[in-house]
Amino acid sequence: MLSAVLEDYIRAIYAIESDGDGRMSTSALADYLEVTAPTVSSTLKKLEERGLVDREEYKGVTLTEEGELVALEITRHHRLLEVFLTERLDYDWIDVHDEADRLEHHVSEELTDRIAEVLGNPPVDPHGDPIPDADLSLPEEGESTRLVDIDQDERVTVRRIHHQGNAELRYLAEAGVRPEDELTVVAVAPFGMVTVETPAGEQSLPEAIAQLIEVVPAAAADGVEV
């Protein structure tokens, strides 16, 4: 049985790998978890001894096949808990990540499956992240683009907001940007600001924030080919 700390590391590696390309550096994991590089190295050694990660000096770390299955299981717990907290306990979607983080280590597979059944087996969590099913398979997703790469005057639907911290989520919530919202790109400034028309009005988003927002063409989100 893995400790909560080891599970946190596995899910963090999975999250970073999902957003990147292959192996990740120790420093990237340290930044993500807000711990020191020596702490990361020590913990990765424990995961490597258990056959859950593969490490190569100067090349970084990646999950093994067994490690990925563990990551998917933890991710399923976490994202279903986020849906349960928002839909059944009236938590705000920007506040559920840390609560689910604390709970994900203490729910059984039976309880997780019952939560999924009660919720109607949702395919995504409140941030738009895909939820693995009971077989740990992810739902199929079509192509998407980051908002920062969208041209002026295009209309898009927010599919997913990549979680980098509660401050970023709160910023977007206050700007009126959340999953399933429609946005129109009003202007793209040469220095990185992206101005969009949101359901709450016009907002200018820094490039670093626009990079977190995954979108699809608005018509495609409605099921119409474009």
Side-chain angles (χ1 to χ4, degrees):
M1 184 173 178
L2 296 177
S3 68
V5 170
L6 293 182
E7 288 186 349
D8 283 341
Y9 270 70
I10 290 174
R11 189 166 63 79
I13 294 169
Y14 174 77
I16 297 171
E17 282 188 334
S18 297
D19 283 344
D21 299 308
R23 292 180 178 272
M24 49 160 289
S25 67
T26 300
S27 60
L29 185 56
D31 289 343
Y32 188 93
L33 291 169
E34 299 181 344
V35 296
T36 65
T39 298
V40 169
S41 296
S42 174
T43 307
L44 289 178
K45 183 178 180 181
K46 295 176 183 178
L47 291 172
E48 186 177 29
E49 290 170 351
R50 291 172 177 253
L52 299 173
V53 301
D54 176 57
R55 287 196 302 168
E56 286 189 46
E57 193 171 5
Y58 307 118
K59 292 186 177 180
V61 62
T62 188
L63 292 172
T64 62
E65 185 174 340
E66 182 180 355
E68 186 170 346
L69 287 175
V70 173
L72 286 167
E73 182 178 317
I74 301 166
T75 298
R76 173 172 164 81
H77 294 177
H78 182 94
R79 293 178 179 173
L80 281 169
L81 284 166
E82 289 191 333
V83 180
F84 184 79
L85 290 168
T86 53
E87 292 194 2
R88 298 306 171 97
L89 299 182
D90 294 326
Y91 274 70
D92 195 297
W93 71 284
I94 63 175
D95 296 324
V96 292
H97 179 78
D98 289 345
E99 196 70 60
D101 218 10
R102 288 186 282 269
L103 294 170
E104 66 188 35
H105 311 292
H106 308 292
V107 292
S108 66
E109 290 309 302
E110 180 180 0
L111 178 56
T112 300
D113 290 343
R114 289 193 178 190
I115 290 173
E117 184 178 357
V118 166
L119 295 172
N121 294 298
V124 296
D125 72 8
H127 311 106
D129 293 316
I131 300 176
D133 63 19
D135 296 324
L136 302 183
S137 297
L138 289 166
E140 290 188 13
E141 294 183 287
E143 292 186 8
S144 63
T145 308
R146 298 299 176 104
L147 180 62
V148 72
D149 297 318
I150 297 297
D151 294 329
Q152 184 174 325
D153 297 328
E154 286 195 43
R155 189 168 62 92
V156 295
T157 298
V158 177
R159 184 168 79 179
R160 183 179 185 184
I161 295 176
H162 292 258
H163 185 270
Q164 295 294 320
N166 291 342
E168 289 87 348
L169 292 182
R170 195 166 300 282
Y171 179 96
L172 287 169
E174 291 174 356
V177 178
R178 61 186 64 213
E180 299 185 8
D181 280 351
E182 281 196 9
L183 311 174
T184 300
V185 177
V186 177
V188 180
F191 49 85
M193 295 293 285
V194 179
T195 301
V196 294
E197 184 67 35
T198 80
E202 194 170 291
Q203 298 286 344
S204 291
L205 307 175
E207 182 177 7
I209 295 293
Q211 180 65 34
L212 302 178
I213 305 170
E214 191 174 312
V215 299
V216 295
D222 295 333
V224 179
E225 291 188 7
V226 294

